[in-house]
Amino acid sequence: MEQVIASSHYDEYEKLAPAYDLEVVRQNRVGYPANDFRYTLSDGRAGTLYQLRAPYTLLFISNPGCPMCRSIREQISESPLMSELIERGDLCVLMLYPDEDLTEWYAHRAEIPAEWINAYDKGCVIQRQRSYDLKAIPSLYLLDSSKRVILKDVVDVAQIENALLSRQ
């Protein structure tokens, strides 16, 4: 992408898509701090990613009616390792709805485990700022206590469990 952008063989219009993709790829890279953002809860209270205090944070970007999102949510809930870490306070799960139509989000609130933070991106700031790649939902990011990215854009719960086990 960098070579296409730097090349004189392409005009400015041909460079638009690679420039956009490069901007997205450079966000939230493994080993680097995740982008902070503000989230909103159903009661209107707000918080930020960096205010969450736990050895690990699992950012789970999802849509309420998404079958794959539901499957991953169930796998996380059924995982003995992840359930134990959540119960001990060693893993915080932040489920984030990134869209603006909150009707579905409100309708599905009861499906989210009470131990998780169920929030939405008020004003779709993440999409507008392109601070996370939202081309495919669901998208999960495993972060350490400093909010450095351990895993980026994963959908395999076993991969998340292995990453957590390797750090115990």
Side-chain angles (χ1 to χ4, degrees):
M1 288 181 275
E2 289 173 342
Q3 291 178 351
V4 169
I5 294 166
S7 173
S8 61
H9 293 24
Y10 300 99
D11 66 33
E12 63 185 87
Y13 297 106
E14 293 171 309
K15 294 179 182 183
L16 286 175
Y20 173 82
D21 290 342
L22 183 60
E23 179 184 345
V24 171
V25 167
R26 286 183 171 158
Q27 303 292 322
N28 308 300
R29 294 186 304 177
V30 172
Y32 290 87
N35 291 328
D36 198 9
F37 59 85
R38 183 172 211 75
Y39 60 84
T40 304
L41 304 173
S42 63
D43 64 5
R45 287 182 298 137
T48 67
L49 176 65
Y50 276 60
Q51 288 174 334
L52 301 176
R53 298 288 173 233
Y56 300 101
T57 300
L58 182 63
L59 171 58
F60 186 166
I61 303 171
S62 73
N63 283 322
C66 159
M68 188 172 189
C69 300
R70 181 177 51 253
S71 174
I72 291 170
R73 184 183 72 234
E74 291 169 356
Q75 290 174 52
I76 293 169
S77 295
E78 293 168 1
S79 164
L81 170 66
M82 295 177 83
S83 295
E84 180 183 332
L85 291 172
I86 292 167
E87 187 177 314
R88 287 194 328 227
D90 291 338
L91 175 63
C92 175
V93 179
L94 171 58
M95 182 162 252
L96 184 72
Y97 175 63
D99 295 323
E100 58 191 336
D101 180 7
L102 298 180
T103 307
E104 284 292 305
W105 182 77
Y106 277 108
H108 290 270
R109 277 185 316 171
E111 298 170 6
I112 308 306
E115 303 84 21
W116 297 15
I117 299 170
N118 185 20
Y120 64 92
D121 177 19
K122 187 175 185 178
C124 299
V125 176
I126 290 172
Q127 283 186 33
R128 282 189 292 114
Q129 293 180 347
R130 298 185 208 151
S131 53
Y132 283 82
D133 185 1
L134 301 179
K135 280 188 244 173
I137 299 286
S139 183
L140 289 86
Y141 293 77
L142 180 62
L143 313 173
D144 68 13
S145 61
S146 299
K147 304 303 181 265
R148 289 191 177 276
V149 178
I150 298 169
L151 294 174
K152 174 182 179 173
D153 199 20
V154 296
V155 292
D156 183 357
V157 174
Q159 185 180 3
I160 296 167
E161 289 174 321
N162 288 336
L164 290 165
L165 281 171
S166 71
R167 294 171 171 271
Q168 299 292 312

